[in-house]
Amino acid sequence: MAKKFQTLKGFYDVLPERQRLWRYFEEKALYILDQYHYQEIGLPLVEPTGLFVESVGTHTDIVEKEMYSWEDHLNKDKLTLRPEGTAGCVRAVIENSVTYNGPVKLFYRGAMFRHENVQKGRQRQFHQLGVEAFGFKNAESDAEQILLLSRLWNALGLKNITLELNSIGDPDDRVTYREKLIAYFEENKGILDEDALRRLYDNPLRILDSKNKEMQSMLNAAPKLINFLSNDAKKHFDELCSILKKYNLVFKINTRLVRGLDYYNRTVFEWVSSDLGSQGTIAGGGRYDYLVERVGGKSTVACGFAIGIERIILLLEDLNKENNNILPDIYIVNLGEMAKPFAFSIAEKLRNEGLKVSLNMEGSSFKSQMKKADKSGAKIALIIGEEEAETKIIQVKLIRDNGIQNSIAEKNLLQYIKEKINFEK
Ligand code: HAM
């Protein structure tokens, strides 16, 4: 027996039923991105490893233990499958002088790869829709991105999601804070778990993100970065909050929110669903005014976010969302030597008119084909046997209209179908 192969752990096939929900998500998201005039950019899946080390940061989970990296044996290049999209987008903006004529708003979508422990909502290959705005320094830009997301959740009908917001200031603000925080953690060393001890001097801010129950009250009492902000950073954050309030957006300031990537400054935010268990963050982002310069570009302020598409799909499945837009309009049942080419030609003619037509090509019994027509989600079934092929009068069944059936001459067919489909809408 030949060996059978299976998907790797944390890698998944998306079967057509679920893929339909992806289309539903993408249709809504793309429409809203167009409304805000974000333009799509296509980016490679593989980038030089150094790009991620420099951007995401050496002392982060992603760089320390989650990247799929290897050395190309042909030329010794060190390569990595992208674990996130911001770094590649920044590289592309610099390399192609995308901001040459002024600020730009970009988005991208596609697979990302992280070697993580797999659980519900956490995969090794997952997909993001990411948004990045370059060259906008005011809080309006952060606010616009958050409002865009809120508009998207509404369009998708998502419930039970909350916005958590924080400001982590600028690098200078963090120097004093970092010292205070390390001193505080040293006083509480006995309570720190292994992970926290490991991060104590490399990335103490990340300790604030810990979910360890035993550490929560100590972490809640830790010094708060928001109290160490410069006047400019504070003003920026106040402006952001006041715009969000003006547009009735409810948010929670979470002073412990720091995010798992090192490039952020000032605004950081996450949208969290309470329906997904521990992996409830459906989108996260913030400002990264220093990253473009850090990876070799001209100093350019920026902010962005990424949505975890699989997590959104899980929520849409729980809501029993259906995407009927992409189901066929017409299903053609046909049987017989003359019927076959006649049905084929009708299918092509209807497609010429812009209709979505599924033509049965199995030659099974009428009964079994009718079952498939019902299941296909089509609104109308055309039934074509030898008699219909000869007389050019077709049986038309309105599947969604109590299965009413009429005989329609081929020359009147298109008109009849259009009336019925519009009538249904
Ligand atoms: P992130 O928080 O690492 O940010 O990822 C964004 C979203 O991707 C998460 O909120 C989550 O929904 C989804 N996600 C992350 N890891 C996984 C996984 N293993 N399985 C399933 N979904 C996952 C970023 O990647 C930043 N680049 C976002 C950004 C853009 N910041 C500024 N611009």
Side-chain angles (χ1 to χ4, degrees), residues 49-64:
T49 303
L51 173 68
F52 299 112
V53 176
E54 276 304 313
S55 315
V56 176
T58 326
H59 299 294
T60 56
D61 283 350
I62 293 180
V63 171
E64 275 178 357

Side-chain angles (χ1 to χ4, degrees), residues 24-25 40 50 55 63 72 77 158 160 170 189 211 246 249 282 285 293 307 310 315 321 331 371 409:
Y24 176 78
F25 164 74
E40 185 161 15
S55 315
V63 171
D72 186 333
D77 282 351
L158 301 187
N160 306 329
D170 291 313
K189 223 168 182 170
K211 303 276 178 301
K246 187 167 169 199
L249 217 94
I282 54 173
E293 202 174 359
I307 302 171
E310 279 81 358
L315 294 175
K321 276 270 183 273
Y331 191 99
K371 267 196 193 152

